[in-house]
Amino acid sequence: MTYELLQPVFIISSALIAIGLYGVMTKKNMLKIILSIGLIDTGVNVLIVAMGYLPGGTAPIENGNYAVYVDPVPQALVLTAIVIGVSVMALALAVAMGYYRKTGTLELDKEGVMKW
Amino acid sequence: MVSVPPVLLIALPLLFAFFAPLVNMWSRKAVKVYTLLVLILNATLSYLLFANVMQNGVVYEQLSGFYPPIGILLAVGPIGAILALLINTLSTIVYLTYFGEAENSVKFSMLYMLVTASSTGIVITGDLFNMFVFFEITAVGSYGLVASMRTKESFEGAFKYIVLGSIGSAFILLGIATIYGYLKTLNFYDIALRIDTMPPTARLMSFIFLIIGIGVEAEIFPLNGWVPDAYQGASNRVASFFSLGPSKAGIYAIARLIFTLLPILSGWQLALLLGVFTLIIGELAALMQEDPKRMLAYSSIGQMGLILIALSLHSETALIAAIFLMVGHALAKSLLFLGVRDYARGTLRNPLIAAPMFIGILSIIGMPPFPGFWGKWYLMKDLASQGAWLIMLVIILTAIVESVYYARFLHRGTGGEKRKLSRSETAAIIILASLLILVGIFPNYLYDPAVRAAASLLGGGP
Amino acid sequence: MVDLIALGEQILLLAGMVTLGFAIGMFFNGFARKVTARIHNRIGPPIYQGYIDVFKLFAKKTNISHGWIFDLAALFSVAGITLAFLFLPVAGFTLLSTEGDIFLILYLLAIPALGFALGAGASGNPNAAVGIMRALILMLAYELPLVMVVVAMMIHYNTTSLATLVQMQSGMHWAIFVPVFFIGAIIVDMALQGMLMEKPFDIAIAPHEIASGPMVEFGGKHLGALMLYKMMAIVVETTLFVDLFLGGGVVLSVSQYGWIAYVVNFLVWFALITLVFFLALLINAVFPRFRIEQALKFYWKYDALAALLILIWVFAGVSI
Amino acid sequence: MILEAFGVMLLAVIVVLALDRYPRIAAAVAIIASLLPLFALTSWAGIMGISLPSFLAPLEFESSLVYNLGPGTLNLAITPLGWFFLLLLATSFPLALLFASSFVRNRAGGFYAGMLLTMLGSFGVLLARDALTFFLFWEIMSWSILAMVLRGGDRRAIVSYLSFGSLSAMLLLFGFMMLYFKTGTFLFGDMHLDTSLTTLVALSMIVAGLAVKGALMPLHVWAPHVYSRSEEPFVAFLSGGLSKLGYFGMLLFMYGIAGLSLLSSWGTFRDVSYFGYALAVIGAFTAFAGTVLAVMQDDLRKLLAYSSVGQLGYIAIGIGIGTPLALTGALFQALNHTFFKAVLFLAAGAVYYRTGKWKISELGGLGYRMPFTFLAALFAIFALAAIPITSGFAAKWLLYEAAIEKKFLFVTPIMLIAGVGAFLYAYKILYGVFLGEPRYDVKEAPISQLVAMWLLVLPLVIFLIFPGWVADLAAPILSEYGMQPIPHTPYVITTNLAAYNTLAVIFALMGALLVSLILYKWKPQEVVPHEDNYLAGEPPELYEYISMHAASNYYEPFEDVFGPVFRRGAERAWEIILAAAEFLGNGARRLYTGLTQDYSIYILLFFLILVGWWLLW
Amino acid sequence: MRNDDWKKVSRLVSKKSLWMVHFCTGCGAMEMPPVMTSRYDMERFGIAPMATPRQADVLLITGYLSIKTLKRVVQVYEQMRDPKYVIGFGSCTINGGMYWDSYNTIKDLSKYIPVDLYIAGCMPRPEAIMDAFLKLMEMIEKGEAIGWKKYHKYYDQYKRNQRMAFSYRLDEVQDIKEDDAK
């Protein structure tokens, strides 16, 4: 289908996801982890929107002239995904604030953490 | 029987959850009673739905009038009905324990209702994205519940749960994106029909994305890093609720994935491998635990592995075993989490707590008159008929390891001075224990629905 | 109904043989002290000293007792050893030996020992308790080689009843002539030394260390009963050895020669048991006393190994 | 009527739990409920060819029952083998409860509930006719025993019991499933096994699982801890009755289901199957090691526990040899062991009830203060040590005959030495606890305890006089396995090697006793106060400072020679296995490092592996 | 067989098998080994050494007796069974011998336990001991060795003497004298 056209989109979203994952995997600071999660979400949302792309389609807004519309369903999905991403990030920040108030640090290092 | 539209099961709790602050303004104490009433209502509705499904087969419901490719379809099959009934009734019982608590924050009750509704939603929905949304609501609700204790451990547990949960949801979204990209539909059964048209690599990629995403919630081995810390951080009530609600929904989603969406042979083999690994790692890690709650968390991981093995054998007896194991684990583990306290002041000294806890442990180990036994017996029976001696050996060795660390738990629990639990907690524990005994002694009430559920699941239907 | 005359006759025979046994036992006591004295180059008491000692003990005017369990000892030891004697084929007379077998006799030898131990225990004297401990360990020690050889014989002759064993050995092909059981006889003779509580193994009744062990509180008629038990035990144990290895003294078959066979058999039996006892006395007069650990190690190391050799030999022989 | 019996017993469990604070009433309810298996026993007496008067069999029990439970069907039916072992359990159980009525003080309700549950479980196991029922009731019994062990509260006992209990359960499960794989059914009736490797492995797994309950040597580690750390009446029933279920299972599976022909199809040595031969050798080793370990114990309960392990080894030998003579011997030994071990544990309980002490070195001289307990224990010890006139000797004699008949050259001496070893610890109990210098002036044990003990001694006396009756009881069992019962009359048991006539032995003993009585009564005697002992002339008042009781580490020379060899053999092996499991546990535990970085790395790795595995392959 | 015939037989039998326990205090014990072994061999008269007083008939006191050992000797004597005999070796038992003026040895044995036979000599040689044994056997046969009957008859006097010997505090001696006066 139109995957050759979507090549750049794939590159951008996988790059975004890779950076996000790198951030989660290496950083100790809670805020940095939250940011990298945000990055992963944006990467995925870009991909979903790209799924609905039709060559030459315009934005799916009904204004009378029946031009070719891009598939509206993924965009609906992305809307909910973005809302969910925001709420998760808000909750994460609240938790990080609570943790900071309790322990005075935002670092999740080897000793202070519940392990084994 | 009056036919109950399944959507009520989700809509009512959400509606009443958002009315909760209004009730709170009226009187703080009333919120608890209000929430309990809502949960009881939801439980009765789920029972009616269960009776309805049992009587005249699968109940379908169109949301917002559109037909499947566009609209969301709720398809409640026998397995969905059983799990919905299980989740709702047990969450009401576990909520009972909140009455013993001094502080009564409205936020806790709201989150509780929210997560119950969304877990039920996962179980009865027929649409992939709709399941994702319910997954996310459960996840967010659970993050909040874990953090509700406001201690260092709970914040830390919540944070880990958030990080891994969001990575998981990202993977699910990727899976949905690939599937939607090719098949332009999100309905399970529609996907199942047209899954072959997808090119094989895309199909495999979507399966990988989905199994990782759902796996995080279903506590499968490499993905369940958050489980021990989340359960240890959460309060007893929340941990007990987790072991019945969200984890059951997670394992249901895995079942839905490998039976309806992508019923491919290598999928079952992967699930079997994951199940075996989860079982071994879960049980062995539990052997060396000092903190009882963390031990129970690892034991939950082990039990999830066992259920996964049962699911992955894709034969009728194995599925019946999976259902029995799910019901047994939900009842017993929630009971244990309610009753467990740190060893210094063990709760096993007063007989009112010791006897139900003892029954709970017996069911988990797989002792006869309890559902755990019927699950293990059927699982072994199915494994024997397929001649899979190695897996049987693994299950046997892990069962022995399990009995060792539960023996230590039983002994150390009786140490320390006597400790009184609040009346409501004792009541909840006793109710759960009596439920365990009833299901154990009269298993046919669970057996007949389980047989139909297994048949329908195997056939790819809801 | 069982005809009474035969029963009466049988009981009379049994009673006669028992009194004969006791008489021989008392003779042996005097004989033993005479032989030991002669070896020690002294004259030693007259042969009939045993009878005098027993009568003197029963002639004692006052006797003490430590309660009914203490009295039980005297009763049980004499009764037990007569029971053991009755179940042995003695000099061709099968008294009751067709009713029981070798295992019954091995366990019957234990009744008097246990009853005697009960009485000694009841006396409350620590010497007695230590003596009984040594006696029981010694019993465990010498039983192993004895039992191994006996089992080897039982399996070789494929019978466990002594009466049939004696019949099998009749006509001069005694078990001792079979090479494997010749070594067996030596091993059992060493075990016999322990059973008779002769010098190297009289650890249990050591007068110097534990004031004659279990018999410390027995005086007067109790000691008399124990002396009777001791003497009868000598007769029983030597007869057991003779029955196992030397054909039980049956030289002439009764059917051919009638009552003369009884007399000849009796004399041969008496000569054989005296010979065996004499051998034991020789060792007794010369040896110092073992410690209990040494005795245990001796029996369970050297004797048991030899007996194991016999077992393997018989296993090779009999394994079809 | 079987289903109602189970229902009534469950009801009794609940009622007894409610009556926790009134021990007496709870005891009464428990004893009444415990009579049910007894009535079942009498009503089924017909299949053993015993016709009982009607008042003895009031309730009418149907001989078989099929009850559909939904996922599985329970089918129970009475068999001669089941009846024989039910005889052992149903008679000793009410008496153990009678003893407990005055012994158990705290949380009595829990005690009786646990006991009734064990009885219910064992009742079900005895009647089971298919693998599911057998396993279900076997597990109910084993976890109700766990409930009783928990009451004892000793850490080693709980952990070792539960781990061995679940090992035995899983072995049984694995074995049953392999049989299911082979024959496609669970019903014992139509399990026609063929001589394939899987059947052999299945059968050996089942026998190993049963051997854990029967405390055979490598798997016996739990028995001494549990026997010595739980309440006495329970231990009397556990070691007396419940350990026999292991051997009931062995008989059922080795001879009932597999059959002698199948066993010997895997190769025979002097027409005793290798399978049986291995069991006999393990049994002999258990008998020997159990007895030697019992000799070296100072704690009375531990001593009785190891002696129990030793005596059970004999039964395994009998089952292993497998000839009609050996099986009758094994059944007779099981019968004897149930009763004399129950009496001994109850006597130990009575002693503890009065003096509160366990160590033999601290006890002493109780024979004078507690004469009836002493007499009961004396009779039981004579039966244990197999003194000829007691029934214990007849049982062991049968086993010896069977071993000699089958030319067991190396097993028979070990059995005989174990028998002699029994004298050692028998005397240690008699002297250490009952004889010697009286140090405690305690009253006699309460009436209910004495009645319980003496009623348990009764069967020993009956079978002392009529050993032939056991051969009658064994006849239907043997004919079921297609074997001829051994030739016998009520008094005389004859084998093709020799005969044993109890009548002759008893009358000869009476005669001999008469002789020694006359000899004995010749001269008067006067009883001397206890202090008047010859201690190199030391005056009696010395007794206050030092104790004359010579029972502390009684067999010290024996221990010096054999101590290190026997002391920790089996236990160390199991500890190594536990340490290995814990090492693995630590490994698995280390995976959860608690850092989200590591967890996300795990997810990514998992993703890459999956992709790599599927796309490349 | 009338009663006195039985007496005669029992005396003969107890004469022919005398079992002795010797309380080896002082230097007399050295004389016993030659008597037992091959040169003098007392066993030919049926005399055998026994370990405990219960089994013994004759008690040999082979030397001086301090008050402390007297207490043990009385205990051993009472543990022996009738008919029992006592032989005192050497002059120490007769009149205290060379310890005649010592404060803690007893001077005359027969005051405390009935002695059937004394052997003179500051430790008699084995021949004297053998002769004493034969003398004792003769006395038993003739029925003169009645020490144990005397002990029963004058039991309280013997006990008084023993208490007198054992008491060393003055007030105890005083009350014994008052008892005598009564």
Side-chain angles (χ1 to χ4, degrees), chain D residues 313-519:
Chain D
Y314 276 99
I315 307 174
I317 297 170
I319 294 175
I321 298 173
T323 60
L325 190 63
L327 290 184
T328 326
L331 292 172
F332 202 168
Q333 171 71 1
L335 184 131
N336 285 331
H337 183 266
T338 309
F339 294 112
F340 67 62
K341 193 49 73 176
V343 170
L344 280 178
F345 270 112
L346 294 187
V351 160
Y352 175 73
Y353 183 73
R354 282 299 183 214
T355 61
K357 287 192 169 46
W358 284 125
K359 290 265 181 288
I360 292 179
S361 42
E362 287 155 9
L363 293 168
L366 292 174
Y368 307 98
R369 298 292 190 283
M370 306 169 71
F372 292 107
T373 322
F374 170 54
L375 277 179
L378 185 69
F379 195 88
I381 280 176
F382 275 176
L384 171 91
I387 306 292
I389 43 166
T390 59
S391 58
F393 177 75
K396 291 224 169 77
W397 183 75
L398 283 171
L399 289 174
Y400 295 143
E401 287 296 310
I404 292 282
E405 197 180 9
K406 279 291 168 239
K407 296 190 174 17
F408 274 44
L409 261 168
F410 299 100
V411 169
T412 336
I414 300 177
M415 283 160 64
L416 279 160
I417 274 299
V420 171
F423 291 141
L424 267 79
Y425 65 74
Y427 185 71
K428 184 172 188 173
I429 300 173
L430 283 180
Y431 175 71
V433 177
F434 293 105
L435 302 178
E437 171 220 9
R439 291 158 53 176
Y440 307 95
D441 48 3
V442 288
K443 294 196 298 302
E444 174 53 286
I447 291 300
S448 70
Q449 295 184 0
L450 286 180
V451 165
M453 276 193 264
W454 277 97
L455 281 180
L456 277 170
V457 164
L458 201 61
L460 290 176
V461 170
I462 293 168
F463 288 109
L464 166 145
I465 301 160
F466 304 107
W469 279 3
V470 175
D472 296 340
L473 286 179
I477 300 173
L478 291 178
S479 58
E480 203 184 79
Y481 302 150
M483 300 180 192
Q484 284 308 329
I486 51 174
H488 65 275
T489 67
Y491 307 105
V492 180
I493 305 177
T494 52
T495 69
N496 47 28
L497 296 176
Y500 170 58
N501 179 343
T502 49
L503 219 59
V505 176
I506 291 169
F507 280 125
L509 182 67
M510 293 311 150
L513 275 176
L514 212 64
V515 165
S516 53
L517 206 62
I518 299 158
L519 209 66

Side-chain angles (χ1 to χ4, degrees), chain C residues 15-70:
Chain C
M17 282 313 282
V18 164
T19 39
L20 205 66
F22 277 116
I24 293 173
M26 284 190 238
F27 157 73
F28 267 165
N29 187 306
F31 173 75
R33 289 167 70 176
K34 192 71 173 178
V35 164
T36 333
R38 273 288 178 260
I39 293 171
H40 294 170
N41 185 12
R42 47 187 179 82
I43 299 161
I47 292 286
Y48 48 82
Q49 183 60 34
Y51 301 94
I52 300 171
D53 288 349
V54 171
F55 284 130
K56 181 213 74 179
L57 283 173
F58 281 106
K60 277 280 182 182
K61 298 271 184 302
T62 60
N63 296 293
I64 56 105
S65 148
H66 285 273
W68 57 275
I69 309 166
F70 185 78

Side-chain angles (χ1 to χ4, degrees), chain C:
Chain C
M1 248 311 278
V2 172
D3 51 6
L4 287 172
I5 305 118
L7 194 65
E9 208 178 74
Q10 177 79 350
I11 291 170
L12 257 175
L13 177 72
L14 295 187
M17 282 313 282
V18 164
T19 39
L20 205 66
F22 277 116
I24 293 173
M26 284 190 238
F27 157 73
F28 267 165
N29 187 306
F31 173 75
R33 289 167 70 176
K34 192 71 173 178
V35 164
T36 333
R38 273 288 178 260
I39 293 171
H40 294 170
N41 185 12
R42 47 187 179 82
I43 299 161
I47 292 286
Y48 48 82
Q49 183 60 34
Y51 301 94
I52 300 171
D53 288 349
V54 171
F55 284 130
K56 181 213 74 179
L57 283 173
F58 281 106
K60 277 280 182 182
K61 298 271 184 302
T62 60
N63 296 293
I64 56 105
S65 148
H66 285 273
W68 57 275
I69 309 166
F70 185 78
D71 307 340
L72 205 69
L75 274 178
F76 251 92
S77 44
V78 174
I81 204 62
T82 40
L83 200 59
F85 182 75
L86 287 178
F87 276 90
L88 270 174
V90 176
F93 297 94
T94 58
L95 304 172
L96 284 173
S97 63
T98 48
E99 303 306 326
D101 69 349
I102 183 77
F103 297 120
L104 180 64
I105 291 160
L106 280 182
Y107 274 87
L108 278 180
L109 285 177
I111 289 193
L114 212 59
F116 175 32
L118 257 175
S123 68
N125 194 318
N127 290 327
V130 171
I132 294 295
M133 178 268 285
R134 291 181 172 190
L136 285 172
I137 291 185
L138 184 67
M139 189 170 89
L140 185 70
Y142 70 68
E143 282 283 334
L144 182 61
L146 172 71
V147 143
M148 284 166 120
V149 173
V150 160
V151 161
M153 284 191 70
M154 290 301 127
I155 288 180
H156 182 74
Y157 285 98
N158 195 9
T159 167
T160 56
S161 143
L162 266 179
T164 40
L165 189 69
V166 162
Q167 262 153 24
M168 281 187 185
Q169 297 182 27
S170 62
M172 288 311 280
H173 30 75
W174 292 345
I176 203 157
F177 297 142
V178 177
V180 69
F181 293 122
F182 179 73
I183 306 164
I186 297 167
I187 294 167
V188 170
D189 189 55
M190 283 190 254
L192 192 67
Q193 197 71 13
M195 275 163 104
L196 298 171
M197 288 229 183
E198 286 308 325
K199 187 60 84 187
F201 298 108
D202 69 342
I203 308 152
I205 42 170
H208 317 295
E209 294 145 17
I210 39 174
S212 77
M215 300 196 285
V216 71
E217 283 301 315
F218 287 85
K221 62 176 183 181
H222 295 104
L223 188 56
L226 288 187
M227 287 278 278
L228 283 181
Y229 152 63
K230 186 103 183 41
M231 296 174 212
M232 185 55 135
I234 293 171
V235 171
V236 165
E237 276 137 17
T238 39
T239 323
L240 179 65
F241 183 81
V242 164
D243 284 347
L244 277 176
F245 294 98
L246 306 170
V250 175
V251 177
L252 306 171
S253 70
V254 172
S255 54
Q256 279 167 344
Y257 297 90
W259 63 271
I260 297 182
Y262 280 120
V263 172
V264 167
N265 288 346
F266 184 78
L267 290 178
V268 166
W269 166 71
F270 180 70
L272 284 178
I273 53 171
T274 328
L275 180 75
V276 167
F277 188 54
F278 180 72
L279 197 68
L281 286 177
L282 292 186
I283 299 170
N284 168 33
V286 176
F287 264 83
R289 187 179 305 123
F290 275 172
R291 276 204 338 271
I292 186 71
E293 288 92 356
Q294 288 166 333
L296 190 57
K297 284 205 181 88
F298 169 75
Y299 273 121
W300 278 37
K301 207 177 277 185
Y302 306 109
D303 235 4
L305 276 183
L308 194 63
L309 186 76
I310 294 206
L311 277 178
I312 295 164
W313 190 332
V314 167
F315 179 77
V318 92
S319 71
I320 27 160

